[in-house]
Amino acid sequence: MKTRDPELRNELDAALHARSELGSEYEPALVESFLEKVEQRLDSTLDRRVRRHLAEQQVSVARGAHPTQQLGNFGERYGFGIISLILAIPLSAIGASTAHTGGLVVAWLGIIAVNAVHAARPWLSRRPGHGDSDWED
């Protein structure tokens, strides 16, 4: 077994050695103990990574850059528009068949309104007093 963590390797070796000395009746307790140590190690590693990522985001925002979440939502922005245009085809057909030109106009006004609200969402959330988070200090 190759591992990057020699301390964890030593813990595994100790658990295997203890199993050979104590017998198989203590195996569940030894495995549980080793797994708790692995879980603690994973938790501390994950905690360090999350803290580092949050610190990088705070530094980026403090320097005036946009948060990575704002830059990474290409699929959400354009995907919504594409889906709404695809859905516009049957909506146009239904509107035109039931209410002729008036139904077609109403269907397209609805499509335009939904897309406008979706597109304006980032500007609406930047208003003072909005977007304040309980997570910030």
Side-chain angles (χ1 to χ4, degrees):
M1 175 180 154
K2 286 189 175 183
T3 180
R4 289 186 254 165
D5 191 350
E7 187 177 327
L8 196 57
R9 172 66 183 184
N10 292 340
E11 292 288 339
L12 177 61
D13 289 340
L16 291 174
H17 182 71
R19 185 204 179 270
S20 66
E21 287 184 4
L22 297 175
S24 62
E25 61 269 3
Y26 290 101
E27 184 174 341
L30 292 170
V31 169
E32 184 69 29
S33 172
F34 178 72
L35 290 178
E36 284 178 14
K37 292 174 185 175
V38 170
E39 183 178 2
Q40 289 172 355
R41 186 72 43 92
L42 288 173
D43 285 344
S44 67
T45 302
L46 182 61
D47 187 45
R48 271 195 320 269
R49 288 182 181 174
V50 167
R51 288 178 189 268
R52 182 177 55 220
H53 181 71
L54 289 175
E56 289 171 357
Q57 277 188 335
Q58 288 175 348
V59 167
S60 175
V61 169
R63 290 183 178 167
H66 296 290
T68 56
Q69 292 176 345
Q70 293 291 333
L71 298 175
N73 60 4
F74 176 83
E76 179 186 346
R77 289 185 294 152
Y78 292 103
F80 187 83
I82 291 169
I83 296 296
S84 68
L85 288 176
I86 291 171
L87 292 175
I89 296 168
L91 289 174
S92 297
I94 293 168
S97 67
T98 56
H100 305 291
T101 307
L104 183 64
V105 169
V106 168
W108 274 97
L109 286 176
I111 293 165
I112 291 169
V114 167
N115 281 291
V117 168
H118 182 74
R121 196 175 49 165
W123 291 285
L124 294 174
S125 65
R126 289 186 197 157
R127 292 185 302 185
H130 289 77
D132 293 339
S133 173
D134 292 338
W135 292 93
E136 296 176 5
D137 291 333

